[in-house]
């Protein structure tokens, strides 16, 4: 028996095109809906006809998306239920591969449709705010511009000969995950996964931390040759994919494939330079303070996760009921509408927060695309990280609710660079009201930890991104060239850590970063979004009501606007140069000093 944490959730808008009952497990039940859309497209005689057709297609996409989400949620909430797992895998393996070519055909039909130009011209925006117009002179923003632009890229990049290469890429990615996940070490007579070993890096006993760190690093180094060979094969495949699609290198292909219309390769290089100039001094300062507090001569790789004052971990709550109730107090204080949104999630049982046997690890927010309601999944165990996670995922959930009344499926979600502004802003804004969880001194410590995490992660984002820029603009490089390029980045962004005697581990540290293997170039988004979130937070310090109103207004635009427009609506600059980074880092440092 497959069950879901929530009860029945009716569709936000009654179905007009998709029949009430469809057997989503059988392709023979789904295919006729695509057939009908193909036939209907030919019958569209006006721009409004074509618009109606887009909305019907949208309805089908939402129904399919919700079916997939429901199966995923059911599986992750009960990994020990074979039926739930089977239902999800059936959908992924039997249904989704059949969907792809059919969706692609509809995209082509749309682009070639005789009434497409008419639709683009006729489609004025419903609720544009004048200050969110794009910068380009003479550009009149229109309702379907963003949709049209994204659809064009998908069709433009499609190559038959890349399909088997992408399958090969997916297989190699799976091998990476399998190898990483299989690694274990013997620690104090017990076999431990590398994930389980991470908590020993928080132990006050330095010798124990070192032992744990060296075991893990040593285990990874045993496989270094395999990781390198796997990556060589992946990089080679990606170069070929780019070439087939007519690009000089994979970097340029990846930028296009990720619909990066609003920033360039050079903007990313400027972002790296800005991090180096404006964030590295703050990181070095934090590292020196940590070294002093730990009373060490040098900071070693195993000294970075322990509390520098040897305090026991923060304990914000015992039970997840408290987690939900205290979070509710925070959102109520922040903004009545956000408070009401969170109350809705609680009353509809759209939260599954407990860590319990049979639940998949991690946390995520998923949107039920037809009910247009968000669901939050977590494994809370009573640590500060859980508080940050619920604030983060609630930000994503607020985004989904804000865009609820948008009828075009593609516009109900924003690009990832802005989705993470929604969630990361909520971490920063929520942390200002974290007292329901802590007495005042501990609340300050929690805020400090969070801000320190931001200072630490930005240089790592720059490292991972810059490394990939190097890799994909140096085709045919050797393993030695690549290691040298990585080490040069570690010199730029590593700070004051003493790696003497651990040189090989340092040179191969990138093997741990899954994105480099699985999701090339997908990492800088978090840096871009963090800069947006810091701006929302900075705005809230000047005028909380306005900052929140802008934040909510931008969320409500969903994915209907370009990134610069979405950022502008949220009251932020879409710019990642030192000019933007500098004042934000000054604010973070000032805040950190006050929290001491
Ligand atoms: Zn997120």
């Amino acid at each position: 028996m497959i069950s879901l944490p929530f009860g029945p959730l009716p569709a936000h808008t009654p179905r007009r095109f998709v029949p009430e009952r469809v057997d989503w497990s059988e392709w023979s039940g789904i295919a006729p809906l695509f057939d009908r859309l193909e036939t209907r497209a030919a019958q569209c005689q006006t721009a409004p006809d074509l618009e109606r057709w887009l909305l019907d297609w949208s309805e089908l996409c939402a129904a399919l998306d919700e079916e997939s989400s429901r199966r995923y949620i059911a599986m992750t909430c009960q990994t020990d239920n074979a039926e739930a797992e089977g239902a999800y895998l059936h959908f992924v393996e039997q249904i989704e591969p059949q969907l792809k070519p059919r969706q692609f055909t509809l995209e082509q039909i749309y682009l070639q449709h005789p009434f497409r130009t008419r639709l683009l011209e006729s489609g004025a925006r419903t609720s544009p705010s004048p200050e969110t117009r794009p910068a380009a002179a003479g550009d009149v923003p229109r309702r379907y511009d963003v949709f049209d632009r994204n659809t064009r890229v998908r069709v433009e990049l499609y190559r038959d000969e890349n399909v088997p290469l992408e399958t090969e890429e997916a297989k190699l990615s799976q091998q990476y995950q399998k190898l990483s996940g299989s690694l274990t070490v013997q620690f104090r007579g017990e076999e431990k996964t590398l994930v389980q070993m991470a908590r020993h890096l928080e132990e006050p006993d330095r010798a124990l931390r070192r032992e744990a760190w060296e075991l893990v690093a040593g285990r990874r180094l045993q496989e270094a040759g395999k990781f390198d060979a796997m990556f060589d094969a992946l990089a080679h495949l990606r170069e070929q994919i780019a070439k087939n699609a007519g690009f000089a290198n994979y970097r340029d292909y990846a930028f296009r494939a990720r619909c990066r219309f609003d920033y360039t390769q050079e903007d990313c290089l400027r972002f790296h330079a800005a991090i180096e100039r404006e964030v590295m001094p703050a990181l070095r300062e934090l590292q020196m303070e940590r070294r002093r507090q730990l009373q060490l001569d040098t900071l070693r790789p195993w000294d970075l996760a322990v509390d520098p004052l040897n305090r026991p971990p923060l304990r914000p709550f015992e039970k997840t009921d408290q987690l939900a109730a205290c979070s509710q107090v925070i959102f109520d204080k922040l903004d009545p509408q956000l408070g009401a949104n969170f109350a809705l999630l609680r009353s509809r049982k759209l939260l599954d927060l407990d860590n319990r046997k049979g639940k998949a690890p991690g946390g995520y927010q998923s949107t039920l695309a037809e009910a247009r309601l968000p669901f939050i999944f977590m494994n809370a165990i009573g640590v500060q990280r859980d508080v940050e996670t619920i604030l983060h995922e609630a930000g994503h959930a607020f985004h989904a609710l804000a865009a609820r009344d948008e009828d075009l499926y593609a516009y109900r979600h924003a690009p990832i660079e802005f989705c993470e502004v929604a969630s990361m802003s909520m971490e920063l804004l929520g942390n200002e009201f974290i007292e329901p969880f802590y007495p005042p001194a501990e609340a300050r410590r929690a805020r400090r930890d969070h801000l320190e995490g931001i200072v630490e992660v930005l240089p790592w984002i720059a490292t991972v991104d810059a490394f990939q820029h190097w890799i994909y603009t140096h085709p045919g490089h050797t393993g030695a060239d690549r290691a040298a390029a990585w080490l040069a980045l570690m010199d730029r962004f590593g700070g004051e850590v003493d790696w003497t005697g651990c040189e090989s581990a340092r040179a191969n540290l990138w093997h741990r970063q899954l994105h480099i293997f699985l999701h090339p170039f997908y990492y800088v988004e978090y840096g871009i979004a963090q800069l947006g979130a810091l701006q929302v937070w900075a705005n809230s310090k000047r005028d909380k009501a306005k900052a929140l109103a802008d934040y909510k207004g931008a969320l409500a635009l969903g994915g209907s606007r370009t990134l610069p427009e979405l950022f502008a609506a949220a009251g932020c600059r879409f710019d990642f140069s030192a000019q933007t980074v500098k004042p934000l880092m000054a604010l973070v440092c000032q805040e950190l000093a006050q929290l001491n």
Side-chain angles (χ1 to χ4, degrees):
M1 175 59 189
I2 303 174
S3 64
L4 285 160
F6 40 85
L9 302 171
H12 173 269
T13 307
R15 288 179 182 176
R16 288 178 44 129
F17 169 71
V18 178
E20 258 334 293
R21 295 199 164 274
V22 179
D23 183 357
W24 301 109
S25 305
E26 292 298 331
W27 178 243
S28 58
I30 302 169
L33 298 172
F34 282 91
D35 297 341
R36 266 177 60 201
L37 282 170
E38 286 181 22
T39 327
R40 281 249 328 273
Q43 296 158 358
C44 293
Q45 292 303 322
T46 61
D49 283 354
L50 183 60
E51 185 168 37
R52 184 66 251 162
W53 179 83
L54 278 183
L55 291 175
D56 288 346
W57 177 16
S58 207
E59 191 184 294
L60 176 59
C61 292
L64 283 161
D65 183 340
E66 176 155 330
E67 184 61 24
S68 165
S69 298
R70 283 173 171 272
R71 288 172 191 235
Y72 183 75
I73 292 168
M75 175 182 73
T76 52
C77 288
Q78 35 184 344
T79 52
D80 43 9
N81 182 329
E83 197 187 337
E85 189 190 4
Y88 176 72
L89 289 179
H90 175 81
F91 200 78
V92 169
E93 288 165 4
Q94 306 299 322
I95 306 299
E96 283 181 353
Q98 315 234 44
L99 290 175
K100 277 183 195 159
R102 298 304 301 261
Q103 294 282 25
F104 182 65
T105 306
L106 293 180
E107 284 164 353
Q108 283 174 307
I109 288 176
Y110 161 75
L111 288 177
Q112 289 157 10
H113 202 280
F115 284 92
R116 168 176 155 242
T117 320
R118 200 77 64 81
L119 177 71
L120 285 172
E121 283 162 1
S122 72
R125 286 177 165 184
T126 43
S127 58
S129 48
E131 72 273 18
T132 65
R133 294 277 158 84
D139 257 7
V140 181
R142 300 173 304 185
R143 163 85 180 148
Y144 289 102
D145 280 349
V146 172
F147 172 78
D148 194 81
R149 183 169 82 161
N150 294 345
T151 310
R152 278 200 314 263
V153 163
R154 277 196 296 277
V155 172
E156 166 200 313
L157 294 188
Y158 181 84
R159 295 290 183 282
D160 272 335
E161 61 268 35
N162 277 345
V163 175
L165 299 184
E166 282 159 2
T167 310
E168 190 60 28
E169 191 188 6
K171 270 191 203 154
L172 277 165
S173 299
Q174 210 177 3
Q175 277 178 29
Y176 168 82
Q177 284 192 294
K178 210 170 158 188
L179 179 60
S180 300
S182 72
L183 300 183
T184 59
V185 291
Q186 284 293 325
F187 181 68
R188 311 262 154 120
E190 271 182 80
E191 188 181 27
K192 299 266 189 187
T193 66
L194 304 194
V195 175
Q196 288 169 332
M197 290 302 288
R199 66 184 194 90
H200 296 299
L201 296 176
E202 293 170 23
E203 296 277 349
D205 178 349
R206 196 181 193 205
L208 187 148
R209 288 203 304 270
R210 179 179 186 154
E211 183 189 346
W213 188 89
E214 286 179 340
L215 263 176
V216 169
R219 185 66 193 87
R220 285 189 180 280
L221 278 177
Q222 284 174 18
E223 308 296 340
K226 277 190 205 158
F227 283 125
D228 253 353
M230 252 178 224
F231 188 76
D232 281 334
L234 279 166
H236 184 72
L237 274 172
R238 288 170 186 160
E239 278 159 22
Q240 192 58 49
I241 287 171
K243 216 171 274 170
N244 289 347
F247 285 81
N249 61 61
Y250 184 75
R251 181 177 71 158
D252 294 350
Y253 171 84
F255 267 65
R256 191 96 186 131
R258 296 197 168 281
C259 291
R260 292 181 178 176
F261 306 106
D262 303 310
Y263 59 103
T264 63
Q265 293 78 338
E266 285 66 37
D267 287 327
C268 291
L269 301 183
R270 268 192 286 279
F271 171 70
H272 311 152
I275 299 296
E276 186 174 15
R277 221 177 84 186
E278 307 299 339
V279 183
M280 286 313 295
L283 177 67
R284 290 208 171 85
E285 190 56 47
L286 286 178
Q287 287 173 333
M288 274 174 338
E289 189 183 342
R290 162 174 286 270
R291 181 174 58 73
R292 278 195 301 270
Q293 287 174 329
L294 286 168
Q295 298 174 348
L296 301 172
D297 293 333
T298 59
L299 210 54
R300 307 282 278 148
W302 44 85
D303 296 325
L304 305 176
V306 62
D307 181 73
L309 299 174
N310 281 338
R311 291 165 296 190
L314 290 167
R315 290 274 169 231
F317 60 92
E318 293 278 335
K319 295 210 165 88
T320 50
D321 291 351
Q322 278 168 279
L323 174 62
C326 294
S327 304
Q328 182 70 60
V329 177
I330 293 176
F331 295 127
D332 287 340
K333 279 212 175 115
L334 255 183
D335 178 85
Q337 193 189 340
L338 298 182
N341 284 349
F342 193 73
L344 173 80
L345 299 187
R346 291 174 78 196
S347 69
R348 294 280 192 100
K349 295 192 165 48
L350 292 162
L351 304 171
D352 189 342
L353 308 178
D354 285 310
N355 168 260
R356 57 169 190 272
K357 194 167 168 286
K359 213 171 142 176
Y364 64 81
Q365 184 272 326
S366 168
T367 300
L368 297 145
E370 213 179 5
R372 305 189 193 173
L373 287 170
F375 169 75
I376 295 177
F377 176 97
M378 274 179 65
N379 277 282
I381 52 170
V383 294
Q384 165 57 18
R385 179 92 204 117
D386 296 331
V387 177
E388 287 170 14
T389 304
I390 199 163
L391 294 172
H392 181 101
E393 303 303 343
H396 286 310
F398 298 154
H399 205 173
L401 288 170
R404 223 183 155 199
D405 291 328
E406 165 62 61
D407 283 327
L408 193 69
Y409 167 75
Y411 281 175
R412 285 204 293 277
H413 34 259
I416 187 87
E417 292 90 340
F418 191 71
C419 287
E420 295 299 325
V421 175
S423 55
M424 289 172 169
S425 299
M426 212 27 73
E427 287 182 49
L428 283 159
L429 296 173
N431 265 325
E432 303 267 303
F433 297 94
I434 208 172
E435 277 72 11
F437 286 107
Y438 297 113
E442 294 191 359
R444 279 200 300 280
R445 180 179 159 196
R447 275 187 206 120
R448 226 193 119 79
D449 283 357
H450 182 247
L451 292 176
E452 284 185 4
I454 293 174
V455 177
E456 287 160 7
V457 79
L458 285 169
W460 179 249
I461 292 171
T463 308
V464 171
D465 192 53
F467 185 51
Q468 298 188 83
H469 279 258
W470 185 90
I471 286 172
Y472 295 107
T473 48
H474 290 78
H477 62 255
T478 65
D481 296 339
R482 190 162 62 211
W486 173 257
L487 286 171
L489 289 168
M490 288 292 289
D491 288 341
R492 266 178 92 187
F493 296 111
E496 303 293 320
V497 181
D498 176 5
W499 289 81
T500 310
C502 312
E503 287 81 4
S504 310
R506 185 173 184 247
N508 290 292
L509 204 62
W510 62 275
H511 290 168
R512 293 190 318 181
Q513 188 64 48
L514 149 154
H515 296 73
I516 297 173
F517 289 79
L518 267 57
H519 310 291
F521 284 104
Y522 174 36
Y523 211 56
V524 73
E525 285 89 338
Y526 291 103
I528 295 171
Q530 188 68 75
L531 296 183
L534 285 168
Q535 292 180 75
V536 171
W537 178 60
N539 293 344
S540 81
K541 293 196 173 283
R542 287 189 291 269
D543 184 343
K544 180 177 158 239
K546 180 173 187 322
L548 274 158
D550 288 349
Y551 168 85
K552 290 188 294 179
L555 263 52
L557 295 173
S560 66
R561 305 296 155 88
T562 65
L563 279 171
E565 293 176 284
L566 292 171
F567 271 65
C572 311
R573 289 157 53 104
F574 185 71
D575 168 83
F576 2 121
S577 67
Q579 217 191 342
T580 301
V581 179
K582 191 185 170 84
L584 295 174
M585 278 327 289
L587 177 63
V588 169
C589 292
Q590 181 196 328
E591 195 84 3
L592 277 169
Q594 279 171 10
L595 289 169
N596 253 336

